[in-house]
PDB file of all heavy atoms in Angstrom:
ATOM      1  N   SER A   1     156.702  73.950  87.634  1.00 97.00           N
ATOM      2  CA  SER A   1     157.657  74.783  87.103  1.00 97.00           C
ATOM      3  C   SER A   1     156.832  76.100  86.496  1.00 97.00           C
ATOM      4  O   SER A   1     155.590  75.997  86.427  1.00 97.00           O
ATOM      5  CB  SER A   1     158.529  74.342  85.893  1.00 97.00           C
ATOM      6  OG  SER A   1     157.632  73.896  84.757  1.00 97.00           O
ATOM      7  N   ARG A   2     157.495  77.222  86.185  1.00 95.00           N
ATOM      8  CA  ARG A   2     156.776  78.347  85.717  1.00 95.00           C
ATOM      9  C   ARG A   2     157.566  78.977  84.633  1.00 95.00           C
ATOM     10  O   ARG A   2     158.835  78.963  84.611  1.00 95.00           O
ATOM     11  CB  ARG A   2     156.548  79.284  86.937  1.00 95.00           C
ATOM     12  CG  ARG A   2     157.801  80.073  87.407  1.00 95.00           C
ATOM     13  CD  ARG A   2     157.509  80.977  88.484  1.00 95.00           C
ATOM     14  NE  ARG A   2     158.415  81.968  88.826  1.00 95.00           N
ATOM     15  CZ  ARG A   2     159.433  81.689  89.781  1.00 95.00           C
ATOM     16  NH1 ARG A   2     159.227  80.541  90.474  1.00 95.00           N
ATOM     17  NH2 ARG A   2     160.293  82.593  89.977  1.00 95.00           N
ATOM     18  N   ASP A   3     156.866  79.784  83.847  1.00 93.00           N
ATOM     19  CA  ASP A   3     157.385  80.559  82.820  1.00 93.00           C
ATOM     20  C   ASP A   3     156.925  82.102  83.027  1.00 93.00           C
ATOM     21  O   ASP A   3     155.677  82.287  82.751  1.00 93.00           O
ATOM     22  CB  ASP A   3     157.068  80.248  81.455  1.00 93.00           C
ATOM     23  CG  ASP A   3     157.732  80.857  80.205  1.00 93.00           C
ATOM     24  OD1 ASP A   3     158.169  82.126  80.474  1.00 93.00           O
ATOM     25  OD2 ASP A   3     157.930  80.297  79.217  1.00 93.00           O
ATOM     26  N   ASN A   4     157.719  82.726  83.744  1.00 87.00           N
ATOM     27  CA  ASN A   4     157.226  84.166  84.041  1.00 87.00           C
ATOM     28  C   ASN A   4     156.874  85.015  82.898  1.00 87.00           C
ATOM     29  O   ASN A   4     155.930  85.827  82.993  1.00 87.00           O
ATOM     30  CB  ASN A   4     158.282  84.859  84.868  1.00 87.00           C
ATOM     31  CG  ASN A   4     158.452  84.238  86.259  1.00 87.00           C
ATOM     32  OD1 ASN A   4     157.520  83.708  86.838  1.00 87.00           O
ATOM     33  ND2 ASN A   4     159.679  84.363  86.813  1.00 87.00           N
ATOM     34  N   ALA A   5     157.581  84.846  81.813  1.00 89.00           N
ATOM     35  CA  ALA A   5     157.253  85.644  80.581  1.00 89.00           C
ATOM     36  C   ALA A   5     155.940  85.320  80.076  1.00 89.00           C
ATOM     37  O   ALA A   5     155.275  86.224  79.468  1.00 89.00           O
ATOM     38  CB  ALA A   5     158.397  85.466  79.623  1.00 89.00           C
ATOM     39  N   LYS A   6     155.513  84.085  80.242  1.00 91.00           N
ATOM     40  CA  LYS A   6     154.206  83.683  79.721  1.00 91.00           C
ATOM     41  C   LYS A   6     153.137  83.698  80.803  1.00 91.00           C
ATOM     42  O   LYS A   6     152.025  83.391  80.565  1.00 91.00           O
ATOM     43  CB  LYS A   6     154.283  82.361  79.118  1.00 91.00           C
ATOM     44  CG  LYS A   6     155.185  82.310  77.788  1.00 91.00           C
ATOM     45  CD  LYS A   6     155.259  80.870  77.201  1.00 91.00           C
ATOM     46  CE  LYS A   6     156.138  80.799  76.050  1.00 91.00           C
ATOM     47  NZ  LYS A   6     156.243  79.374  75.404  1.00 91.00           N
ATOM     48  N   ASN A   7     153.551  84.008  82.055  1.00 93.00           N
ATOM     49  CA  ASN A   7     152.616  84.069  83.060  1.00 93.00           C
ATOM     50  C   ASN A   7     151.954  82.653  83.264  1.00 93.00           C
ATOM     51  O   ASN A   7     150.644  82.469  83.412  1.00 93.00           O
ATOM     52  CB  ASN A   7     151.450  85.123  83.018  1.00 93.00           C
ATOM     53  CG  ASN A   7     152.150  86.414  83.064  1.00 93.00           C
ATOM     54  OD1 ASN A   7     153.086  86.750  83.868  1.00 93.00           O
ATOM     55  ND2 ASN A   7     151.656  87.293  82.147  1.00 93.00           N
ATOM     56  N   THR A   8     152.656  81.644  83.045  1.00 96.00           N
ATOM     57  CA  THR A   8     152.056  80.246  83.026  1.00 96.00           C
ATOM     58  C   THR A   8     152.925  79.372  84.052  1.00 96.00           C
ATOM     59  O   THR A   8     154.088  79.438  84.077  1.00 96.00           O
ATOM     60  CB  THR A   8     152.202  79.676  81.689  1.00 96.00           C
ATOM     61  OG1 THR A   8     151.420  80.481  80.802  1.00 96.00           O
ATOM     62  CG2 THR A   8     151.705  78.329  81.555  1.00 96.00           C
ATOM     63  N   VAL A   9     152.182  78.505  84.729  1.00 97.00           N
ATOM     64  CA  VAL A   9     152.604  77.488  85.465  1.00 97.00           C
ATOM     65  C   VAL A   9     152.386  76.073  85.027  1.00 97.00           C
ATOM     66  O   VAL A   9     151.246  75.908  84.445  1.00 97.00           O
ATOM     67  CB  VAL A   9     152.164  77.523  86.986  1.00 97.00           C
ATOM     68  CG1 VAL A   9     152.552  76.449  87.870  1.00 97.00           C
ATOM     69  CG2 VAL A   9     152.623  78.869  87.610  1.00 97.00           C
ATOM     70  N   TYR A  10     153.325  75.144  85.022  1.00 98.00           N
ATOM     71  CA  TYR A  10     153.194  73.818  84.525  1.00 98.00           C
ATOM     72  C   TYR A  10     153.226  72.849  85.611  1.00 98.00           C
ATOM     73  O   TYR A  10     153.901  72.963  86.573  1.00 98.00           O
ATOM     74  CB  TYR A  10     154.149  73.631  83.425  1.00 98.00           C
ATOM     75  CG  TYR A  10     154.233  74.628  82.349  1.00 98.00           C
ATOM     76  CD1 TYR A  10     155.154  75.687  82.384  1.00 98.00           C
ATOM     77  CD2 TYR A  10     153.456  74.576  81.283  1.00 98.00           C
ATOM     78  CE1 TYR A  10     155.233  76.673  81.375  1.00 98.00           C
ATOM     79  CE2 TYR A  10     153.507  75.468  80.219  1.00 98.00           C
ATOM     80  CZ  TYR A  10     154.431  76.547  80.416  1.00 98.00           C
ATOM     81  OH  TYR A  10     154.584  77.387  79.208  1.00 98.00           O
ATOM     82  N   LEU A  11     152.663  71.661  85.341  1.00 98.00           N
ATOM     83  CA  LEU A  11     152.733  70.479  86.205  1.00 98.00           C
ATOM     84  C   LEU A  11     153.047  69.386  85.195  1.00 98.00           C
ATOM     85  O   LEU A  11     152.237  68.939  84.511  1.00 98.00           O
ATOM     86  CB  LEU A  11     151.515  70.239  86.988  1.00 98.00           C
ATOM     87  CG  LEU A  11     151.553  69.047  87.949  1.00 98.00           C
ATOM     88  CD1 LEU A  11     152.548  69.254  89.040  1.00 98.00           C
ATOM     89  CD2 LEU A  11     150.246  68.665  88.446  1.00 98.00           C
ATOM     90  N   GLN A  12     154.244  68.860  85.321  1.00 98.00           N
ATOM     91  CA  GLN A  12     154.669  67.701  84.563  1.00 98.00           C
ATOM     92  C   GLN A  12     154.404  66.464  85.450  1.00 98.00           C
ATOM     93  O   GLN A  12     154.947  66.348  86.579  1.00 98.00           O
ATOM     94  CB  GLN A  12     156.136  67.730  84.235  1.00 98.00           C
ATOM     95  CG  GLN A  12     156.777  66.602  83.454  1.00 98.00           C
ATOM     96  CD  GLN A  12     156.120  66.528  82.092  1.00 98.00           C
ATOM     97  OE1 GLN A  12     156.051  67.390  81.400  1.00 98.00           O
ATOM     98  NE2 GLN A  12     155.823  65.147  81.682  1.00 98.00           N
ATOM     99  N   MET A  13     153.743  65.579  84.890  1.00 98.00           N
ATOM    100  CA  MET A  13     153.219  64.347  85.582  1.00 98.00           C
ATOM    101  C   MET A  13     153.813  63.236  84.852  1.00 98.00           C
ATOM    102  O   MET A  13     153.530  62.969  83.689  1.00 98.00           O
ATOM    103  CB  MET A  13     151.844  64.198  85.877  1.00 98.00           C
ATOM    104  CG  MET A  13     151.138  65.447  86.582  1.00 98.00           C
ATOM    105  SD  MET A  13     149.475  65.125  86.923  1.00 98.00           S
ATOM    106  CE  MET A  13     148.829  65.242  85.106  1.00 98.00           C
ATOM    107  N   ASN A  14     154.525  62.259  85.553  1.00 98.00           N
ATOM    108  CA  ASN A  14     155.159  61.086  84.907  1.00 98.00           C
ATOM    109  C   ASN A  14     154.692  59.752  85.606  1.00 98.00           C
ATOM    110  O   ASN A  14     154.189  59.884  86.757  1.00 98.00           O
ATOM    111  CB  ASN A  14     156.677  61.128  84.923  1.00 98.00           C
ATOM    112  CG  ASN A  14     157.132  62.329  84.206  1.00 98.00           C
ATOM    113  OD1 ASN A  14     156.728  62.744  83.109  1.00 98.00           O
ATOM    114  ND2 ASN A  14     158.101  63.018  84.876  1.00 98.00           N
ATOM    115  N   SER A  15     154.831  58.635  84.951  1.00 98.00           N
ATOM    116  CA  SER A  15     154.510  57.380  85.539  1.00 98.00           C
ATOM    117  C   SER A  15     153.117  57.370  86.160  1.00 98.00           C
ATOM    118  O   SER A  15     152.895  56.970  87.344  1.00 98.00           O
ATOM    119  CB  SER A  15     155.511  56.947  86.618  1.00 98.00           C
ATOM    120  OG  SER A  15     156.867  56.928  86.059  1.00 98.00           O
ATOM    121  N   LEU A  16     152.188  57.812  85.306  1.00 98.00           N
ATOM    122  CA  LEU A  16     150.817  58.058  85.947  1.00 98.00           C
ATOM    123  C   LEU A  16     150.203  56.641  86.219  1.00 98.00           C
ATOM    124  O   LEU A  16     150.461  55.710  85.469  1.00 98.00           O
ATOM    125  CB  LEU A  16     150.042  58.868  84.836  1.00 98.00           C
ATOM    126  CG  LEU A  16     150.357  60.333  84.844  1.00 98.00           C
ATOM    127  CD1 LEU A  16     149.776  60.894  83.513  1.00 98.00           C
ATOM    128  CD2 LEU A  16     149.822  60.975  85.947  1.00 98.00           C
ATOM    129  N   LYS A  17     149.358  56.624  87.217  1.00 97.00           N
ATOM    130  CA  LYS A  17     148.584  55.595  87.695  1.00 97.00           C
ATOM    131  C   LYS A  17     147.165  55.837  87.643  1.00 97.00           C
ATOM    132  O   LYS A  17     146.764  56.991  87.572  1.00 97.00           O
ATOM    133  CB  LYS A  17     149.052  55.167  89.173  1.00 97.00           C
ATOM    134  CG  LYS A  17     150.568  55.058  89.420  1.00 97.00           C
ATOM    135  CD  LYS A  17     150.892  54.817  90.838  1.00 97.00           C
ATOM    136  CE  LYS A  17     152.365  54.725  91.090  1.00 97.00           C
ATOM    137  NZ  LYS A  17     152.706  54.607  92.477  1.00 97.00           N
ATOM    138  N   PRO A  18     146.348  54.745  87.559  1.00 97.00           N
ATOM    139  CA  PRO A  18     144.882  54.903  87.570  1.00 97.00           C
ATOM    140  C   PRO A  18     144.288  55.691  88.754  1.00 97.00           C
ATOM    141  O   PRO A  18     143.429  56.475  88.698  1.00 97.00           O
ATOM    142  CB  PRO A  18     144.382  53.556  87.616  1.00 97.00           C
ATOM    143  CG  PRO A  18     145.353  52.704  86.996  1.00 97.00           C
ATOM    144  CD  PRO A  18     146.614  53.312  87.335  1.00 97.00           C
ATOM    145  N   GLU A  19     145.015  55.576  89.998  1.00 96.00           N
ATOM    146  CA  GLU A  19     144.562  56.342  91.087  1.00 96.00           C
ATOM    147  C   GLU A  19     144.896  57.874  91.016  1.00 96.00           C
ATOM    148  O   GLU A  19     144.580  58.657  91.878  1.00 96.00           O
ATOM    149  CB  GLU A  19     145.246  55.814  92.410  1.00 96.00           C
ATOM    150  CG  GLU A  19     146.829  55.669  92.293  1.00 96.00           C
ATOM    151  CD  GLU A  19     147.117  54.271  91.954  1.00 96.00           C
ATOM    152  OE1 GLU A  19     146.557  53.620  91.169  1.00 96.00           O
ATOM    153  OE2 GLU A  19     148.139  53.729  92.706  1.00 96.00           O
ATOM    154  N   ASP A  20     145.613  58.283  89.926  1.00 98.00           N
ATOM    155  CA  ASP A  20     145.911  59.772  89.705  1.00 98.00           C
ATOM    156  C   ASP A  20     144.645  60.365  88.973  1.00 98.00           C
ATOM    157  O   ASP A  20     144.668  61.603  88.765  1.00 98.00           O
ATOM    158  CB  ASP A  20     147.125  59.904  88.782  1.00 98.00           C
ATOM    159  CG  ASP A  20     148.372  59.496  89.553  1.00 98.00           C
ATOM    160  OD1 ASP A  20     148.506  59.753  90.828  1.00 98.00           O
ATOM    161  OD2 ASP A  20     149.259  58.943  88.870  1.00 98.00           O
ATOM    162  N   THR A  21     143.728  59.451  88.667  1.00 98.00           N
ATOM    163  CA  THR A  21     142.530  60.049  87.938  1.00 98.00           C
ATOM    164  C   THR A  21     141.777  61.020  88.964  1.00 98.00           C
ATOM    165  O   THR A  21     141.407  60.759  90.066  1.00 98.00           O
ATOM    166  CB  THR A  21     141.580  59.015  87.584  1.00 98.00           C
ATOM    167  OG1 THR A  21     142.262  58.141  86.601  1.00 98.00           O
ATOM    168  CG2 THR A  21     140.248  59.517  87.015  1.00 98.00           C
ATOM    169  N   ALA A  22     141.537  62.194  88.393  1.00 98.00           N
ATOM    170  CA  ALA A  22     141.042  63.370  89.290  1.00 98.00           C
ATOM    171  C   ALA A  22     140.825  64.562  88.398  1.00 98.00           C
ATOM    172  O   ALA A  22     141.324  64.574  87.276  1.00 98.00           O
ATOM    173  CB  ALA A  22     141.868  63.638  90.471  1.00 98.00           C
ATOM    174  N   VAL A  23     140.070  65.486  89.008  1.00 98.00           N
ATOM    175  CA  VAL A  23     140.108  66.932  88.388  1.00 98.00           C
ATOM    176  C   VAL A  23     141.177  67.644  88.952  1.00 98.00           C
ATOM    177  O   VAL A  23     141.379  67.720  90.231  1.00 98.00           O
ATOM    178  CB  VAL A  23     138.762  67.557  88.629  1.00 98.00           C
ATOM    179  CG1 VAL A  23     138.906  68.968  88.108  1.00 98.00           C
ATOM    180  CG2 VAL A  23     137.631  66.775  87.920  1.00 98.00           C
ATOM    181  N   TYR A  24     142.081  68.225  88.191  1.00 98.00           N
ATOM    182  CA  TYR A  24     143.216  68.958  88.643  1.00 98.00           C
ATOM    183  C   TYR A  24     142.880  70.493  88.457  1.00 98.00           C
ATOM    184  O   TYR A  24     142.606  70.954  87.491  1.00 98.00           O
ATOM    185  CB  TYR A  24     144.391  68.624  87.752  1.00 98.00           C
ATOM    186  CG  TYR A  24     145.024  67.326  88.161  1.00 98.00           C
ATOM    187  CD1 TYR A  24     144.324  66.095  87.885  1.00 98.00           C
ATOM    188  CD2 TYR A  24     146.288  67.057  88.902  1.00 98.00           C
ATOM    189  CE1 TYR A  24     144.867  64.807  88.191  1.00 98.00           C
ATOM    190  CE2 TYR A  24     146.763  65.810  89.243  1.00 98.00           C
ATOM    191  CZ  TYR A  24     146.032  64.709  88.844  1.00 98.00           C
ATOM    192  OH  TYR A  24     146.474  63.449  89.206  1.00 98.00           O
ATOM    193  N   TYR A  25     143.231  71.170  89.548  1.00 98.00           N
ATOM    194  CA  TYR A  25     142.855  72.619  89.719  1.00 98.00           C
ATOM    195  C   TYR A  25     144.229  73.386  89.838  1.00 98.00           C
ATOM    196  O   TYR A  25     145.054  72.929  90.627  1.00 98.00           O
ATOM    197  CB  TYR A  25     141.962  72.914  90.958  1.00 98.00           C
ATOM    198  CG  TYR A  25     140.624  72.217  90.766  1.00 98.00           C
ATOM    199  CD1 TYR A  25     140.262  70.928  91.299  1.00 98.00           C
ATOM    200  CD2 TYR A  25     139.584  72.876  90.149  1.00 98.00           C
ATOM    201  CE1 TYR A  25     139.076  70.429  91.185  1.00 98.00           C
ATOM    202  CE2 TYR A  25     138.325  72.317  90.103  1.00 98.00           C
ATOM    203  CZ  TYR A  25     137.997  71.096  90.562  1.00 98.00           C
ATOM    204  OH  TYR A  25     136.803  70.495  90.446  1.00 98.00           O
ATOM    205  N   CYS A  26     144.156  74.552  89.294  1.00 98.00           N
ATOM    206  CA  CYS A  26     145.218  75.455  89.589  1.00 98.00           C
ATOM    207  C   CYS A  26     144.750  76.599  90.472  1.00 98.00           C
ATOM    208  O   CYS A  26     143.670  77.038  90.474  1.00 98.00           O
ATOM    209  CB  CYS A  26     145.628  76.164  88.151  1.00 98.00           C
ATOM    210  SG  CYS A  26     146.882  77.414  88.298  1.00 98.00           S
ATOM    211  N   LYS A  27     145.658  76.964  91.457  1.00 98.00           N
ATOM    212  CA  LYS A  27     145.274  77.901  92.400  1.00 98.00           C
ATOM    213  C   LYS A  27     146.416  78.962  92.430  1.00 98.00           C
ATOM    214  O   LYS A  27     147.590  78.763  92.329  1.00 98.00           O
ATOM    215  CB  LYS A  27     145.159  77.392  93.807  1.00 98.00           C
ATOM    216  CG  LYS A  27     144.755  78.372  94.897  1.00 98.00           C
ATOM    217  CD  LYS A  27     144.653  77.741  96.276  1.00 98.00           C
ATOM    218  CE  LYS A  27     145.917  77.687  96.954  1.00 98.00           C
ATOM    219  NZ  LYS A  27     145.858  77.389  98.315  1.00 98.00           N
TER     220      LYS A  27
END
């Protein structure tokens, strides 16, 4: 999702698993 007023993008992650372990990058 994004908030245009704040110039910010979000990533909501649920039900996380050990295999989700990683470095997360924004592009």
Side-chain angles (χ1 to χ4, degrees):
S1 61
R2 71 177 192 270
D3 186 333
N4 290 331
K6 297 180 179 179
N7 298 318
T8 300
V9 173
Y10 305 95
L11 181 68
Q12 178 68 44
M13 302 184 293
N14 303 314
S15 301
L16 287 166
K17 306 173 182 179
E19 52 262 43
D20 295 321
T21 296
V23 177
Y24 286 71
Y25 297 91
C26 180
K27 185 183 81 172

